[in-house]
């Protein structure tokens, strides 16, 4: 795995849930584009990595098996869109339009996975359309936020980071989550979210 990334955190979570620690395995720092080669040559026994590199290993190395995808009860590492408070204050209309476009693009990928896979191959070298299509099946394409978002940061992500010494203590992350731009996108373009299952009312962010 590439050390110091979400792939490392994911593996640590799986090890902990199995009653193991990093001392029970030998961790090798390998960059994403080199992981398939390392596995092919037998330099490593298994890899922990995000898409499309996991799919690349499955499609390019004969006999490769997927041990687990997701399934880490102690992990919470959602994709996030970050900006500064200054930008959020000074450019609210730009951010609202960005979120609306982002939601529309996600829906298009959900509805056109094969076309999206072909387009992605133009930007990620060394990955063919078949592999990218497999990768897209394992990528959540839903930018919505629920009450679980802040709760899981506090319950899972932050304690993990404290254990690694990355942050000093667990805190309430709610003040750092701004849902106004997403709400604006949902109001201005509800069609972009129409194919998603509704978020249960009891966990909707008000």
């Amino acid at each position: 795995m590439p050390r110091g990334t979400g792939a490392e955190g994911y593996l640590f979570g799986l090890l902990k849930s199995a009653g193991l620690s990093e001392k029970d395995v030998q961790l090798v720092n390998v960059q994403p584009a080199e992981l398939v080669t390392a596995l092919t040559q037998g330099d490593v026994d298994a890899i922990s990595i995000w898409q499309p590199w996991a799919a690349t290993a499955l499609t390019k190395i004969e006999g490769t098996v997927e041990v687990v995808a997701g399934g880490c009860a102690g992990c919470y590492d959602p994709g996030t869109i970050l900006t500064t408070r200054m930008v959020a204050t000074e450019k609210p209309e730009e951010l609202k339009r960005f979120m609306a476009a982002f939601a529309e693009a996600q829906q298009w990928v959900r509805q056109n996975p094969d076309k999206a896979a072909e387009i992605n191959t133009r930007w990620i070298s060394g990955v063919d359309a078949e592999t990218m299509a497999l990768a897209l099946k394992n990528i959540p394409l839903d930018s919505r936020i629920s009450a679980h978002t802040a709760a899981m940061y506090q319950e899972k992500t932050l304690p993990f980071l404290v254990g690694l010494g990355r942050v000093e203590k667990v805190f309430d992350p709610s003040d750092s989550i701004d849902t106004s731009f997403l709400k604006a996108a949902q109001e201005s373009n509800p069609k972009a979210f129409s194919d998603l299952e509704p978020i249960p009312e009891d966990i909707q962010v008000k």
Side-chain angles (χ1 to χ4, degrees):
M1 76 195 78
R3 299 296 304 269
T5 67
E8 180 180 74
Y10 173 65
L11 179 64
F12 286 172
L14 289 178
L15 289 172
K16 183 177 180 180
S17 66
L20 302 170
S21 74
E22 60 180 294
K23 296 179 181 179
D24 294 303
V25 295
Q26 181 181 353
L27 302 179
V28 183
N29 187 28
V30 182
Q31 294 307 302
E34 300 170 357
L35 283 171
V36 173
T37 299
L39 193 60
T40 301
Q41 295 178 345
D43 296 329
V44 297
D45 297 313
I47 62 175
S48 175
I49 193 59
W50 52 83
Q51 298 293 358
W53 305 114
T56 302
L58 287 170
T59 58
K60 301 305 178 187
I61 307 174
E62 185 176 355
T64 300
V65 297
E66 183 178 81
V67 177
V68 60
C72 176
C75 303
Y76 185 66
D77 185 17
T80 56
I81 298 173
L82 303 176
T83 189
T84 63
R85 294 187 188 278
M86 182 179 71
V87 171
T89 300
E90 294 181 353
K91 298 184 177 182
E93 293 308 313
E94 288 89 338
L95 290 176
K96 289 176 183 178
R97 292 200 301 271
F98 169 80
M99 283 306 303
F102 192 80
E104 187 175 340
Q106 284 189 314
Q107 184 183 62
W108 188 88
V109 174
R110 291 194 300 269
Q111 297 178 348
N112 302 274
D114 292 335
K115 291 181 181 178
E118 193 278 325
I119 291 171
N120 277 351
T121 61
R122 306 175 195 175
W123 303 100
I124 302 178
S125 60
V127 181
D128 58 36
E130 176 192 4
T131 300
M132 190 61 70
L134 178 61
L136 285 176
K137 292 179 180 179
N138 292 282
I139 297 176
L141 297 164
D142 183 352
S143 58
R144 296 175 302 171
I145 292 174
S146 76
H148 286 320
T149 303
M152 291 300 100
Y153 273 132
Q154 195 164 11
E155 180 181 324
K156 297 183 179 182
T157 307
L158 287 167
F160 173 74
L161 293 174
V162 169
L164 292 180
R166 306 285 175 82
V167 296
E168 293 183 358
K169 60 182 180 180
V170 174
F171 57 89
D172 184 352
S174 299
D175 289 342
S176 297
I177 301 174
D178 189 339
T179 61
S180 63
F181 306 109
L182 178 60
K183 288 180 179 178
Q186 290 175 299
E187 292 172 359
S188 66
N189 190 10
K191 184 179 178 181
F193 302 86
S194 61
D195 59 320
L196 295 169
E197 290 292 329
I199 294 177
E201 187 172 351
D202 62 326
I203 60 169
Q204 290 180 9
V205 176
K206 305 300 182 182

